[in-house]
Amino acid sequence: MDFALTEEQTAIFDMAKAFGEEKIAPFAQDWERQGTIPKTLWTEIGALGLGGIYVSEESGGSGLSRLDATLIFEALSMSCASVASFLSIHNMCAKMLDAFGSDDVKARYLTPAISMDTVLSYCLTEPGSGSDAAALKTRAERSNDGYVLNGTKAFISGGGYSDAYVVMCRTGDDGPKGISTVVVEDGNDGLSFGGLEDKMGWKSQPTRQVQFDDCKVPADNLVGEEGKGFKYAMMGLDGGRLNISACSLGAAQSALDKTLTYMGERKAFGKPIDQFQALQFRLADMETELQAARTFLRQAAWKLDQGTPDATKFCAMAKRFVTETGSKVANQCLQLHGGYGYLADYGIEKIVRDLRVHEILEGTNEIMRLIVARQLLSDRA
Ligand SMILES: Cc1cc2nc3c(=O)[nH]c(=O)nc-3n(C[C@H](O)[C@H](O)[C@H](O)COP(=O)(O)OP(=O)(O)OC[C@H]3O[C@@H](n4cnc5c(N)ncnc54)[C@H](O)[C@@H]3O)c2cc1C
């Protein structure tokens, strides 16, 4: 067993970290205030090969592993978790198109997504179905030349901003087997968006409802086979959960790094606050918890790369553990900054706000516990 990163993996991490420090961190607070991320950033990220991180090389992607991807998301999130997690959603969609899309779908939607001339959104959640995603109601009726979509998707990251939407919709009966996946292009007749959601964190990413009113989509925009869309969506989520965990890890690590610096500078009762043993113990606990989270995350990613039978369980356990650890550490870092932690200038309160949603999306952490418990009980039988 070898826990060390390879030279190539270290280089990937360093490259993503340096890119974030130069091109993301200095602007992250402005983008948050503006509520958007300039699209020029995506083409720069695409040029680094990060628009299709684990898209196969045959399809034009970088062909990296899930473990490599966690390094990239950890490194980018040290600059901004909101930007990094948006890239994660885009990559999740790109991988679905790579794994299941026809050559035609790949040519039209995957190729520009890899260069990030276009960005993709993932549309599963609806106003009436979140955790119970297989209960989705958006309907895609077959017509002579394709599908006619009617329904509403909720909480869509990149809604009204992305260039194409990977939409899970019902082509058959109730339940997961009646669900298919289609790509809907921005500008399509019958596609419209709700108002901008006013959120606690992830503020630089626009989140809106995505609405379909007799939205006609060509039959060729079907991804893979009819009735398999839910399976595709769930397969995308295993990796998405690792990425989101990596985003929590990287942002929490940057909060801890900032806190270490701050505690050496801030004085109380005549000495730097890093001299109080109670606070030193908190630093030790945070370091231990982040290292444990990192090791666990990388093990889960390794399992997904190897395709082990327990990979889904490990992705769920890692998502639950790493996102909760990340939030806890970030919140402690805010506390150790005293009142200054509450001010935007110190960059900690943004991390606390951004990380909170990682416990909710890509499957809530209650649903992660459900996946783990179900697996435990079925293994027992
Ligand atoms: C900022 C943001 C961005 C998002 N981006 C996207 C996106 O791009 N695409 C997309 O498709 N979705 C997106 N989502 C939606 C997200 O995935 C859902 O919010 C999430 O899956 C939870 O669904 P819900 O909000 O309907 O909560 P509900 O499912 O209504 O859950 C409410 C509570 O009940 C708990 N619960 C539900 N069922 C069970 C159960 N069986 N056992 C125990 N507890 C249970 C939940 O854990 C939660 O605590 C986003 C959400 C947010 C907030």
Side-chain angles (χ1 to χ4, degrees), residues 89 92 121-132 153-158 168 199 201-202 205 207 357 359-367 370 374:
I89 296 169
M92 191 162 73
S121 281
Y122 176 93
C123 303
L124 179 64
T125 306
E126 298 188 355
S129 60
S131 300
D132 186 11
K153 294 290 174 182
F155 289 115
I156 301 308
S157 304
M168 273 46 80
K199 310 189 294 293
W202 276 27
Q205 290 187 32
T207 308
V357 77
E359 298 174 57
I360 295 171
L361 42 67
E362 312 267 334
T364 66
N365 284 4
E366 287 75 24
I367 296 302
L370 204 76
R374 270 191 195 144

